[in-house]
């Protein structure tokens, strides 16, 4: 295993841990509406200061690898799935940032809830793509 692959896997692990924490927060707010405002603030801060730099690390280390290996069809499938996960995650930043602004503006819980639903949708889509990429990467070491 090269240092670049190891660094890529470290970024993926950090990203997975970050998403896991965010989902615990989101499910907490879903069960207890009094937690909506604190969760909106925390998720915003995590995305801005922790997750976004990690996702950039995943993208950069993943992109760098294509210059050092001979790509097969399976690599392209893995890359497409990985990009699907990254895209869903980047799209998720939009409702997270919107929801923070809505909470700061004291918007109603129904409006804030719509943003939360889009966060869950992005998670389910991104997690599905991420599992596919991870399975291919770990199963075929490609």
């Amino acid at each position: 295993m090269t240092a670049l692959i190891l660094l890529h896997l470290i970024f993926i692990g950090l990203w997975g841990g970050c998403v896991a924490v965010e989902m615990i927060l989101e499910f907490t707010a879903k069960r207890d509406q009094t937690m909506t405002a604190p969760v909106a603030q925390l998720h915003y801060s995590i995305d801005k200061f922790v997750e976004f730099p990690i996702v950039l690390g995943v993208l950069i280390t993943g992109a760098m690898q294509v210059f050092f290996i001979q790509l097969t069809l399976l690599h392209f499938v893995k890359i497409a799935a990985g990009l699907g996960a990254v895209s869903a995650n980047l799209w998720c930043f939009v409702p997270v940032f919107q929801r923070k602004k809505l909470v700061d503006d004291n918007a109603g819980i129904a409006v804030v809830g719509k943003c939360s639903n889009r966060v869950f949708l992005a998670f389910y889509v991104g997690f599905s793509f991420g599992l596919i990429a991870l399975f291919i990467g770990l199963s075929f070491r490609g």
Side-chain angles (χ1 to χ4, degrees):
M1 179 181 312
T2 67
L4 182 59
I5 292 172
L6 180 60
L7 184 60
H8 186 64
L9 291 174
I10 289 169
F11 277 123
I12 289 171
L14 290 169
W15 184 24
C18 189
V19 170
V21 167
E22 290 173 338
M23 284 300 94
I24 291 168
L25 291 171
E26 293 296 334
F27 280 111
T28 299
K30 193 172 186 96
R31 280 193 321 267
D32 180 0
Q33 287 185 350
T34 63
M35 294 298 295
T36 300
V39 165
Q41 177 62 48
L42 283 169
H43 196 157
Y44 169 83
S45 296
I46 291 168
D47 276 3
K48 187 174 179 180
F49 300 113
V50 180
E51 190 171 11
F52 186 71
I54 291 171
V55 171
L56 283 179
V58 170
L59 274 172
I60 292 167
T61 57
M64 289 173 65
Q65 290 179 58
V66 302
F67 299 108
F68 301 110
I69 58 174
Q70 184 176 0
L71 296 175
T72 65
L73 179 60
L74 200 54
H75 285 108
F76 285 111
V77 173
K78 180 175 74 170
I79 291 167
L83 288 174
V86 168
S87 297
N89 195 260
L90 292 175
W91 178 78
C92 186
F93 290 148
V94 174
V96 167
F97 283 52
Q98 287 175 340
R99 182 178 60 183
K100 158 79 166 62
K101 183 173 180 349
L102 289 169
V103 167
D104 288 347
D105 294 342
N106 293 316
I109 194 71
V111 177
V112 173
K114 288 181 184 178
C115 286
S116 296
N117 291 339
R118 292 188 351 229
V119 169
F120 280 105
L121 175 63
F123 167 74
Y124 295 133
V125 170
F127 188 73
S128 300
F129 279 117
L131 282 179
I132 293 167
L134 188 63
F135 174 77
I136 293 171
L138 295 178
S139 296
F140 303 103
R141 302 202 190 258

